[in-house]
Amino acid sequence: MAYLRFPFSFSQPQPPQFPRPFTAFAAVAAVAGASAAVVAVSSSDRPFLRNALSSFFSSHPSLPLWGSLSLADSGISVLESKTGASFPSVIGPSLKLCGIGLRKKCVLGLKNIDVYAFGVYADDEEIKRHLSEKYGKLSASQLKENKEFTEDLMENDIPMTVRLQIVYGRLSIRSVRSAFEESVGSRLQKFGGSDNKDLLRRFTSQFKDEFKIPRGSIIHLAREKGHVLRTSIDGQEVGSIQSKLLCKSVLDLYFGDEPFDKQAKEEIELNMAAYL
């Protein structure tokens, strides 16, 4: 596998466009037919390079187009440079990477540790189908930090997946369960009131003590059609719950009002808006 590190240094989110260092993608062409390419970006690089990759594939018709990429045939991944976590550009048949970020945790009030890197994926055609009539005439930059747009992304029945990659080597499944009890629990109360303890218990009980999550472990939190939240750990499904409230509460952690990573939220929303 070829690891290609491209120096992006955009300071502010911009409307989708060809990035200035576009010639860097010639390097991808050199290896695309022979091996997988990993494009390195940090969580501070803005805007996200989805549009550059899209432009690259459209200018190289012999390679798969972005819209038809699959995890098996794309060979393109995005490397979060601080942690080394790698995210495929597409998962499943239709979910495209919209942004990456870091979940940090303060230890004893003294320092932050990187717990996991995350990537948020969405079905672009479903975003168009549900939201283009309402927002299609607005530019991506106009939809930036638009609370109603964010609310509609979380409320509508649009397939999305949050992919978590563990980067802290001493994390236990008990710690994950406890963290979700706190974070998801607060969102359930925020959106649905206090009478949701059973729903929270059903969700957190999926993270059983028998699971081991060493550095590099992958957790998927996938909202599927019908507002079903399907959870898997390293490819093994551990449970599914049909609940619009739970789906919204989980997504709110990553691009809601108080996200784990504010820069990632901006990136995610900007790229989702670009699909309209």
Side-chain angles (χ1 to χ4, degrees), residues 190-252:
K190 170 184 174 182
F191 296 125
S194 59
D195 191 23
N196 291 289
K197 292 182 180 179
D198 182 63
L199 180 58
L200 178 61
R201 182 196 59 77
R202 288 170 59 201
F203 172 65
T204 57
S205 65
Q206 297 175 138
F207 300 92
K208 302 182 187 305
D209 289 342
E210 63 214 53
F211 290 108
K212 306 299 181 184
I213 48 170
R215 179 182 172 89
S217 295
I218 303 294
I219 298 174
H220 276 188
L221 304 172
R223 178 175 69 181
E224 300 180 348
K225 296 294 287 183
H227 297 283
V228 174
L229 185 71
R230 193 173 305 278
T231 305
S232 64
I233 300 176
D234 288 331
Q236 178 182 347
E237 183 180 332
V238 299
S240 62
I241 301 171
Q242 184 176 26
S243 170
K244 184 176 182 179
L245 174 61
L246 180 60
C247 289
K248 181 178 180 180
S249 297
V250 169
L251 294 174
D252 188 73

Side-chain angles (χ1 to χ4, degrees), residues 68-79:
S68 60
L69 288 174
S70 71
L71 181 57
D73 64 17
S74 70
I76 303 297
S77 294
V78 178
L79 191 69

Side-chain angles (χ1 to χ4, degrees), residues 48-67:
F48 188 57
L49 77 167
R50 180 185 61 81
N51 300 289
L53 285 172
S54 182
S55 303
F56 169 73
F57 284 117
S58 66
S59 63
H60 293 78
S62 62
L63 298 177
L65 293 176
W66 180 275

Side-chain angles (χ1 to χ4, degrees), residues 168-178 211-213:
Y168 182 61
R170 292 181 290 176
L171 189 66
S172 68
I173 196 70
R174 184 174 299 179
S175 297
V176 172
R177 187 168 60 241
S178 177
F211 290 108
K212 306 299 181 184
I213 48 170

